[in-house]
Amino acid sequence: MMASTECVGACLLCGEEGTVLYPQIGDDLYGHAGDFGELRCPACGLIWLSPRPVQEEMGEFYRRYYTHASVPDSTPADGSRRVLGGLRDAIRSMIFCGFYGYTHLHSHHTLCGLGKLLGRLRWLRLRATNELKELVPRYRQDGLLLDIGCGRGGFLQAMQGLGWQVLGVEGDPEAAALARRSGLPVHATSFEEAKIPSDAVDHITMNHVIEHVYDPLAVMAKCHRILKPGGSVVLYTPNTRSLGHRRFRGHWRPLEAPRHLHCFSPATLRALLARSGFRHIKLWTSPRLAPGIYDASVLIEHGQGTMAHDPAPQPGRRWFSIRERTLCALGWPSGEELVATATKPSAAPRADAGGERGWM
């Protein structure tokens, strides 16, 4: 059955009429019926889906989504230790304690001062946090962490284990049920409809969520309202200035019509956060997803689509990944993944306060 659609002609951020970027985009991931299009703002560069499914019918496009699988058990079945596992665990513990402030995780802090220094090295910090990436905030005793679009709840489980009070919001009822089955407090509704008091949350995470919402400005304004003064938010989203988008154009995997409704560049994501009242905005891009995005985009380009989330390696992926890592290391915003952190001001900003600049 074809979904009912609506057209959105004007840019959410600046009100300019969009121009056609890709006139026809299909659901290359799951093969749902329907033809959609991508518009681009000629003023700020925001990209959005139009026509797009009406909100009441969007659930049909998530019925087979990857969040429906159970949370995997990461414990090795044979109990074996990794090579140099003890040393890696020690460094991880030092960074979590010395840099992030999780002092309650152990009682001996002789080397944790070294962890404060090691944590300043971003590559080492990412290795220490592993799959949690930059989503890990500095510890706040009795702090409440909200994960919007928590899916099956794996991240909430990890942060609960680190001592946080946690809360999730998940609009997909099947994924929310899986999270609740693990004993996690999860609102099984959209974030817009979730009843969360103002000034109640210490930290908000949105891991590849903002591109799925119909009104990102309203969502970020609500995030700002429910955060405590000084509270923080971290977002991950695809980057329209990535090497992959420049290479594959309308076949770029992260376009993911019709589930991705808005696609951001560093400039448009900064504008979104600033307009929502956030300050101390920091943005950078990561090449972490480059191999998988390259593989899937090649298949889409060849008309094969991809029903799998782990497509087979395609010729050229290694060279593509090396190029992207090199560009990111040189400071170019070319990574497939865009990361942003921002805070709610502790006090009202001065009227003449300007926006932050730079990548870090």
Side-chain angles (χ1 to χ4, degrees):
M1 184 179 70
M2 295 284 287
S4 301
T5 60
E6 61 185 9
C7 292
V8 183
C11 175
L12 177 82
L13 296 177
C14 62
E16 290 285 332
E17 285 295 311
T19 58
V20 175
L21 180 63
Y22 306 124
Q24 194 170 51
I25 296 285
D27 184 359
D28 294 305
L29 188 60
Y30 294 110
H32 288 101
D35 290 319
F36 313 98
E38 299 281 357
L39 301 184
R40 182 181 186 274
C41 177
C44 72
L46 181 68
I47 295 173
W48 67 93
L49 191 71
S50 180
R52 67 187 186 184
V54 297
Q55 193 163 3
E56 295 76 16
E57 298 183 22
M58 181 59 88
E60 181 64 30
F61 295 94
Y62 286 90
R63 291 193 183 278
R64 290 179 288 166
Y65 213 47
Y66 67 94
T67 52
H68 292 172
S70 300
V71 179
D73 183 2
S74 60
T75 305
D78 60 357
S80 61
R81 299 285 292 176
R82 295 166 291 134
V83 176
L84 299 178
L87 176 60
R88 295 178 184 180
D89 290 343
I91 293 174
R92 180 179 187 271
S93 180
M94 285 189 288
I95 290 177
F96 265 87
C97 181
F99 184 81
Y100 287 106
Y102 291 83
T103 58
H104 60 286
L105 296 180
H106 58 255
S107 57
H108 299 288
H109 303 287
T110 306
L111 297 177
C112 291
L114 179 60
K116 185 174 183 179
L117 297 175
L118 294 175
R120 294 179 181 177
L121 302 173
R122 188 165 177 268
W123 65 272
L124 195 56
R125 190 166 71 244
L126 288 174
R127 292 297 298 272
T129 56
N130 198 10
E131 74 280 358
L132 302 179
K133 305 177 292 182
E134 299 281 359
L135 295 169
V136 175
R138 284 181 168 81
Y139 183 64
R140 303 172 200 180
Q141 188 172 3
D142 299 321
L144 176 62
L145 182 147
L146 170 66
D147 189 23
I148 300 172
C150 66
R152 302 161 293 180
F155 176 70
L156 287 178
Q157 285 182 322
M159 298 313 297
Q160 191 176 60
L162 289 173
W164 283 84
Q165 297 181 49
V166 298
L167 178 65
V169 175
E170 176 52 57
D172 184 328
E174 191 171 340
L178 286 168
R180 285 177 162 180
R181 202 173 300 160
S182 301
L184 296 167
V186 173
H187 290 287
T189 184
S190 68
F191 174 62
E192 295 88 332
E193 296 175 348
K195 298 187 183 305
I196 303 172
S198 300
D199 302 327
V201 179
D202 293 276
H203 186 71
I204 295 175
T205 56
M206 300 178 70
N207 190 5
H208 287 271
V209 170
I210 196 66
E211 63 269 23
H212 290 264
V213 304
Y214 277 78
D215 189 346
L217 269 175
V219 165
M220 295 315 302
K222 182 173 181 177
C223 286
H224 189 275
R225 177 177 62 79
I226 66 176
L227 277 172
K228 296 176 182 177
S232 53
V233 62
V234 58
L235 300 89
Y236 278 70
T237 191
N239 172 31
T240 59
R241 290 192 61 190
S242 73
L243 182 64
H245 188 212
R246 294 200 302 271
R247 161 64 178 82
F248 292 103
R249 306 301 295 164
H251 303 298
W252 186 48
R253 162 66 176 82
L255 289 175
E256 200 181 315
R259 285 164 294 276
H260 289 186
L261 300 171
H262 298 86
C263 293
F264 295 89
S265 67
T268 54
L269 188 58
R270 180 183 293 279
L272 174 70
L273 291 167
R275 282 194 56 182
S276 304
F278 287 96
R279 297 293 183 268
H280 307 295
I281 301 167
K282 299 179 181 179
L283 301 104
W284 62 95
T285 71
S286 166
R288 183 182 67 94
L289 301 180
I293 286 178
Y294 176 85
D295 295 336
S297 300
V298 167
L299 293 178
I300 293 171
E301 186 177 49
H302 291 165
Q304 299 176 32
T306 171
M307 298 294 287
H309 284 271
D310 295 306
Q314 300 297 306
R317 70 160 2 210
R318 183 180 179 86
W319 172 235
F320 177 85
S321 299
I322 290 173
R323 288 173 60 202
E324 187 161 303
R325 288 199 303 269
T326 302
L327 289 169
C328 288
L330 292 173
W332 290 90
S334 299
E336 301 304 314
E337 198 169 39
L338 175 58
V339 190
T341 64
T343 60
K344 177 178 178 177
S346 298
R350 300 191 313 273
D352 62 343
E356 295 79 1
R357 298 181 181 274
W359 287 102
M360 296 298 291

